Amino acid sequence: MSALEPRDAEVTAPFEDIAVDTPAEGVLGRTHRALSIGIVSVVLLIAFEATAVGTAMPVAARELHGIPLYAFAFSAYFTTSLFAMVLSGQWADRRGPLAPLATGIGAFGVGLLLSGTAGSMWMFILGRAVQGIGGGLVIVALYVVIGRAYPERIRPAIMAAFSAAWVVPSVVGPLASGTVTEHLGWRWVFVGIPVLILLPLALALPAIRRMAGGPADAESAAKPFDRRRIRLALGISLGAGLLQFAGQELRWVSLLPAAVGAALLVPAVRGLLPRGTARAARGLPAVILLRGISAGSFIAAESFVPLMLVTQRGLSPTMAGLSLALGGLTWALGSYVLARPRLEKHRESLMVAGMVLVALAIAAAPAVLIESVPVWTLAAAWGVGCFGMGMVIASTSVLLLKLSAPEEAGGNSAALQISDGLSNVLLLAGGGAAFAALGGGAVGAAAHGAVGSGAAGSHPGAFTAVFLPMAAVALVGVWVATRVKESS
């Protein structure tokens, strides 16, 4: 997408200094410095939450007697975020990204407090669901800010900065979260993070109000919300939730919610994603499908890594979290590589290579279930996979904005995030069902009250049933990555 095209002098005036950015300026130039620092701070908060919560999750699930619902604790976030993404896209296109961003950050904090004070696993999951609403509002609004405020030539750099914002939390988050979990309890991880919300609010909101606060054009501002898309968004969220519930229950009666969920989900997906997404049509549809395949397969697999290391190899929560710390650095490195202007013409080929690395990393992960295999091999493999993810995820974001008109940035960004979130929900549901069916629900039983159970709680087949199918999904992504370039 090019810089904002003048459509109405009154509306575009606040963005004039952005569209005519001087060639020498980058994301930290005088024009964009405050905005860049502000929105990267928002990403920093989300990154710290993700890494810290992932480390504390095995202990929280065990103490709340919720190991069978372990996957649900992750997918609840993505389920509710599906609805919030569509709402945020329309809200940002019609009123500007400021309000959905501020509302989303607030909801994010409320969800953390609900989870941190939960007395049961279902209450914990409710808190995760509220977090998902906040996260869905925030991520789409951020994409709209980038599309409005940054010229095309420096968008890869701000996307690389987003990935770089994960580096420090990836190292500090597991260490801090593990230490707090072991000495104070897992609840303090959740109730402590909301304090960090104050920094992004103070830095990001004034800069967004100044540079990208209003609607893209007068026509967008006058349009009412598309109620049909809102209903479809509600359908996709409810449908995904019902499928996840059915996958966790594993009883014949679960066929009913599964059927209702599918009936809600299929038409909603068809209505909310661009035509041709399911068959990976070249260009924007393939970009959106690739985002879902890459993120879904990798996140679904990664969600089970700390649990596998704690229950099967006896690691402490701190060490289990730190085994993934290298990934934050290599993810940022992958994004940085693809942000180099001289590599722009090779972007599509490098995305294919990135998906190959992702598939190999996921396939290699269950090798750590063999006692003779050192734990550090998983950390190394995951670092390679994160490098591939850095190349793919940043590139899908760049290509989406390049292929979107200004007034479509919110809707298309929502479609990208829906693909991301829906894939996470469905693959976590499938992985969680396979995990539970092969004895995964008993993984934490022998370990209750201890950090790890060793062989007594060993169910390697349950973990293998998660990782190997996700590796197969990632291999499909290799083919989809060959189709992101539009036909000439």
Side-chain angles (χ1 to χ4, degrees):
M1 185 179 74
S2 60
L4 183 65
E5 296 177 1
R7 295 177 183 269
D8 181 274
E10 184 178 343
V11 174
T12 59
F15 306 105
E16 269 184 348
D17 61 328
I18 302 163
V20 191
D21 188 50
T22 59
E25 280 198 0
V27 294
L28 291 178
R30 181 176 55 85
T31 303
H32 299 96
R33 184 182 300 122
L35 179 63
S36 297
I37 294 174
I39 61 177
V40 168
S41 297
V42 175
V43 176
L44 192 69
L45 167 68
I46 295 173
F48 190 82
E49 181 273 340
T51 55
V53 167
T55 302
M57 193 74 79
V59 178
R62 194 169 58 220
E63 289 191 8
L64 294 173
H65 306 285
I67 290 291
L69 297 173
Y70 185 78
F72 216 164
F74 284 96
S75 64
Y77 178 100
F78 300 112
T79 300
T80 54
S81 70
L82 293 171
F83 173 75
M85 289 167 187
V86 177
L87 177 62
S88 183
Q90 293 203 33
W91 196 351
D93 281 342
R94 287 160 174 77
R95 304 289 186 266
L98 184 64
L101 184 64
T103 304
I105 292 176
F108 196 76
V110 170
L112 282 165
L113 292 175
L114 284 174
S115 291
T117 56
S120 68
M121 191 62 178
W122 282 111
M123 184 58 67
F124 181 88
I125 290 170
L126 174 63
R128 294 288 293 163
V130 174
Q131 273 185 261
I133 293 174
L137 290 172
V138 167
I139 192 64
V140 172
L142 285 179
Y143 273 74
V144 175
V145 169
I146 293 169
R148 301 265 188 92
Y150 293 86
E152 184 176 336
R153 64 177 181 77
I154 62 173
R155 284 178 200 148
I158 191 63
M159 292 299 181
F162 278 14
S163 295
W166 282 77
V167 174
V168 173
S170 295
V171 177
V172 176
L175 180 61
S177 175
T179 301
V180 170
T181 298
E182 291 173 28
H183 295 283
L184 297 178
W186 63 267
R187 295 181 185 277
W188 286 99
V189 174
F190 289 84
V191 300
I193 292 176
V195 177
L196 302 177
I197 291 174
L198 299 176
L199 178 64
L201 283 174
L203 290 174
L205 299 189
I208 293 172
R209 182 182 291 109
R210 178 173 58 87
M211 301 183 70
D217 56 54
E219 290 184 6
S220 293
K223 288 180 181 178
F225 279 50
D226 187 337
R227 293 184 179 180
R228 175 179 173 272
R229 288 184 65 84
I230 296 294
R231 288 195 298 270
L232 290 174
L234 186 59
I236 202 173
S237 192
L238 288 175
L242 287 170
L243 284 175
Q244 173 70 18
F245 177 77
Q248 291 294 142
E249 288 298 304
L250 295 179
R251 295 181 296 173
W252 284 108
V253 71
S254 299
L255 292 175
L256 179 59
V260 174
L264 289 170
L265 198 62
V266 172
V269 170
R270 290 172 60 88
L272 291 172
L273 299 185
R275 186 185 301 273
T277 299
R279 56 184 173 84
R282 288 193 173 275
L284 185 63
V287 170
I288 289 175
L289 179 61
L290 178 62
R291 177 59 165 260
I293 287 175
S294 58
S297 60
F298 195 78
I299 297 302
E302 187 177 63
S303 298
F304 284 86
V305 169
L307 184 66
M308 179 172 65
L309 294 177
V310 168
T311 62
Q312 306 302 293
R313 296 301 298 264
L315 269 65
S316 68
T318 304
M319 294 307 298
L322 284 176
S323 68
L324 301 178
L326 177 64
L329 179 61
T330 57
W331 190 309
L333 182 60
S335 298
Y336 175 81
V337 168
L338 266 293
R340 301 301 86 200
R342 65 178 178 273
L343 294 179
E344 179 61 34
K345 61 181 179 180
H346 303 297
R347 182 178 295 277
E348 290 79 11
S349 299
L350 290 172
M351 290 172 72
V352 174
M355 282 309 304
V356 171
L357 296 179
V358 171
L360 290 174
I362 297 173
V368 79
L369 291 166
I370 303 171
E371 287 291 334
S372 60
V373 175
V375 172
W376 65 262
T377 59
L378 185 146
W382 219 248
V384 171
C386 285
F387 181 82
M389 285 294 288
M391 292 196 292
V392 174
I393 295 297
S395 292
T396 57
S397 303
V398 170
L399 289 175
L400 175 109
L401 293 174
K402 183 178 181 179
L403 297 170
S404 301
E407 66 276 8
E408 298 173 344
N412 287 343
S413 296
L416 185 79
Q417 298 303 325
I418 287 170
S419 178
D420 188 322
L422 180 62
S423 180
N424 281 324
V425 171
L426 295 181
L427 292 178
L428 275 167
F435 180 74
L438 293 178
V443 163
H448 188 66
V451 172
S453 62
S458 180
H459 290 77
F463 288 98
T464 303
V466 173
F467 288 100
L468 295 187
M470 298 309 154
V473 173
L475 282 175
V476 175
V478 175
W479 171 73
V480 176
T482 65
R483 301 179 60 78
V484 297
K485 189 174 183 179
E486 290 185 309
S487 300
S488 53

